[in-house]
Amino acid sequence: MTVLKSGVDTESAEFLANAEAMRNKLAELDAEHAKALAGGGEKYLERHRKRGKLLARERIELLLDREAPFLELSPLAAWGTDYTVGASVVTGIGVVSGVECLIVANDPTVKGGASNPHSLRKSLRAAEIAKCNRLPLINLVESGGADLPTQKDIFIPGGATFRNLTQLSAEGIPTISLVFGNSTAGGAYLPGMSDHVVMIAERSKVFLGGPPLVKMATGEESDDESLGGAEMHARTSGLADYLATDESDAIRIGRDIVSRLNWHKRGPEPVASVPPRFAEEELLGIVPPDLKMPFDPRDVLARLVDGSEFDEFKPLYGTSLVTGWARLHGYPVGVLANSRGVLFSEESQKATQFIQLANQSDTPLLFLHNTTGYMVGKEYEQGGIIKHGAMMINAVSNSKVPHLSVLMGSSYGAGHYGMCGRAYDPRFLFAWPSAKSAVMGPAQLAGVLSIVARAAAQARGAEYREEDDAAMRAAVEAQIEAESLPIFLSGMLYDDGVIDPRDTRTVLGLCLSAIHNAPVAGARFDGAGFGVFRM
Ligand code: COA
């Protein structure tokens, strides 16, 4: 084993300035996270409490084992839109009766817990995480169903919510619904498609159509209780498996259900782990606010992996990508980390070989992003940069071991793809507040547009005014800069959350533990392997 040394001078002006910039970004992030915690605001919180009800996060807290962590996912969903930050639903991974579960809880203080397009994307992402990592799914239901004004964006894709539930069940992944309040219309299929259903006397209301709708449809006079009350479902329709007396009782029953699942993780156990030899606190000062300044990812790894031990693969070849083997909270990982930004042919070939090695040894991969993309220019095109980049992207696409991605700095262009960006299905993807991701950097993008516009004007014989060009470039740069920030991308659910760099080891440890609920097996050359590599 090689122990990493770290040359970072934590007293230097540069380190202190980097840490200060990161702290400022974290403070901005805290303010946005607070909006998610505030839910529908004071008025609706108070009304909810007056009704004797617990808030979504309080329900989750009671459901979890004492002192168990909760890895909340996508808390900034819907940021930058007209909808409340958090998208009226809380999702995350927590331990219930000793079992890691995926929990989805409607926030009834935001528009009655109705699902808008962002809530839908967030809960579909949660279901995907449950499926690929084999996590029992617990729905804490209290929702007005579809957000009616935006029904066109949710009705048709939203059908997947119910299909997912039954497909999870078909794969032997348990699904549990604890119904705290309303679960009407489409929402009725949440308990309807779940393996285990708990309802609360005088609280749960589950019907396809409430009294007004029934009156309209058939003329029948009815009331909430006879159409969809908990007592009725427990005694008459049989939709409720358990009748709880109140919210705490429902949570207790939910915990009992999980304790009887006879759940076993299918991935290998971790070995005993030791902390890194360098303080995680120091991760604050490594990434410079100006991403043009390079930083050594080994300085990050020294503060991330067990014992700061890292055996580097091909350290002398393709040196702007660092590859190597480590452990994280006792789980083996292969690491691919950008060092000087640009990916050349050598880096692509090295990455491809390394990804294949990880698949041969069933080792999960961790991608640490700080790349401006693949190298452009005549020399590189003639040297085959397209086919070499394609080779790396092929390897990432067809690799079967679990992938984790962390955007530390830049993640631009096809480099984002080669490093297992969101479209490449990493099991989890998080960003640091310092990250930026877009098709290319804002200045480059504005410059390209300017060159294209100038040439088009020339071809038309039209005048090209320099002041207009400067104004256009400034506007485009500002737009692309804003759209490449992690808070914006998190709002669009392109990551699973923006995290404090100091929490990275803990977050990745929780993810690796969750991942190991499913078997871990790499791709082989037996027909289930990689596509055709262009050499
Ligand atoms: N779509 C859009 N907005 C909705 C909504 C929905 N499905 N359900 C509730 N809201 C809004 C309400 O208009 C209200 O907005 P406002 O405070 O800005 O006026 C807010 O959410 C709170 O609703 P309110 O009815 O005051 O809350 P409640 O806790 O007393 O009741 C429900 C909650 C869910 C029982 C009730 O709102 C309801 O029955 N909603 C419609 C349910 C339905 O039939 N959905 C069809 C789904 S396919």
Side-chain angles (χ1 to χ4, degrees), residues 43-44 47 51 108 110-112 114 143-149 182 184-186:
K43 175 179 149 201
Y44 290 95
R47 186 175 76 161
R51 291 171 170 175
V110 184
K111 290 279 165 201
S143 164
D147 175 66
L148 293 172
N182 237 64
T184 15

Side-chain angles (χ1 to χ4, degrees), residues 283-351:
L283 286 170
L284 277 185
I286 291 177
V287 184
D290 178 1
L291 293 178
K292 284 195 205 74
M293 306 296 291
F295 62 91
D296 189 342
R298 294 175 196 86
D299 290 329
V300 173
L301 288 167
R303 292 161 178 85
L304 215 56
V305 300
D306 294 358
S308 306
E309 289 167 359
F310 182 65
D311 288 328
E312 199 164 334
F313 169 77
K314 272 187 156 69
L316 303 177
Y317 185 83
T319 52
S320 62
L321 182 75
V322 174
T323 51
W325 310 104
R327 286 188 182 275
L328 211 156
H329 278 288
Y331 293 101
V333 283
V335 179
L336 295 97
N338 306 110
S339 98
R340 281 190 310 281
V342 184
L343 291 160
F344 298 88
S345 289
E346 289 81 355
E347 281 73 14
S348 310
Q349 289 167 315
K350 169 169 153 178

Side-chain angles (χ1 to χ4, degrees), residues 128-344:
E128 185 183 315
I129 290 173
K131 190 169 185 185
C132 56
N133 300 300
R134 248 185 111 255
L135 299 173
L137 176 65
I138 308 180
N139 270 306
L140 308 186
V141 187
E142 180 166 15
S143 164
D147 175 66
L148 293 172
T150 52
Q151 67 82 29
K152 74 169 170 36
D153 296 317
I154 31 185
F155 165 58
I156 291 174
T161 310
F162 314 113
R163 177 172 176 262
N164 286 340
L165 278 176
T166 190
Q167 288 189 336
L168 286 172
S169 178
E171 287 190 22
I173 304 170
T175 54
I176 300 166
S177 276
L178 309 183
V179 186
F180 288 89
N182 237 64
S183 183
T184 15
Y189 291 101
L190 284 176
M193 310 299 286
S194 294
D195 292 349
H196 306 269
V197 177
V198 181
M199 292 194 200
I200 305 171
E202 293 164 27
R203 289 289 165 98
S204 314
K205 254 185 251 170
V206 184
F207 33 61
L208 289 182
L213 192 145
V214 171
K215 173 85 179 150
M216 291 278 292
T218 66
E220 185 187 17
E221 294 287 347
S222 53
D223 59 79
D224 282 357
E225 184 55 38
S226 64
L227 279 180
E231 291 264 354
M232 185 285 285
H233 281 308
R235 295 178 197 282
T236 313
S237 79
L239 179 61
D241 304 315
Y242 303 90
L243 178 65
T245 50
D246 55 23
E247 295 207 7
S248 311
D249 194 37
I251 290 166
R252 177 190 63 77
I253 297 170
R255 290 181 49 78
D256 285 351
I257 292 169
V258 177
S259 72
R260 298 285 184 187
L261 292 176
N262 194 20
W263 192 249
H264 299 288
K265 291 173 82 157
R266 297 211 179 142
E269 290 278 320
V271 299
S273 80
V274 285
R277 292 168 199 235
F278 299 88
E280 289 167 69
E281 180 71 24
E282 293 166 2
L283 286 170
L284 277 185
I286 291 177
V287 184
D290 178 1
L291 293 178
K292 284 195 205 74
M293 306 296 291
F295 62 91
D296 189 342
R298 294 175 196 86
D299 290 329
V300 173
L301 288 167
R303 292 161 178 85
L304 215 56
V305 300
D306 294 358
S308 306
E309 289 167 359
F310 182 65
D311 288 328
E312 199 164 334
F313 169 77
K314 272 187 156 69
L316 303 177
Y317 185 83
T319 52
S320 62
L321 182 75
V322 174
T323 51
W325 310 104
R327 286 188 182 275
L328 211 156
H329 278 288
Y331 293 101
V333 283
V335 179
L336 295 97
N338 306 110
S339 98
R340 281 190 310 281
V342 184
L343 291 160
F344 298 88

Side-chain angles (χ1 to χ4, degrees), residues 69-127:
F70 180 62
L71 177 61
E72 187 168 340
L73 300 166
S74 319
L76 298 174
W79 185 92
T81 72
D82 292 340
Y83 296 97
T84 306
V85 176
S88 73
V89 63
V90 184
T91 65
I93 297 171
V95 182
V96 179
S97 303
V99 178
E100 283 154 307
C101 295
L102 196 301
I103 300 166
V104 177
N106 303 122
D107 182 347
T109 69
V110 184
K111 290 279 165 201
S115 266
N116 60 54
H118 305 277
S119 336
L120 177 64
R121 287 178 75 189
K122 180 165 167 176
S123 42
L124 289 180
R125 170 67 186 147

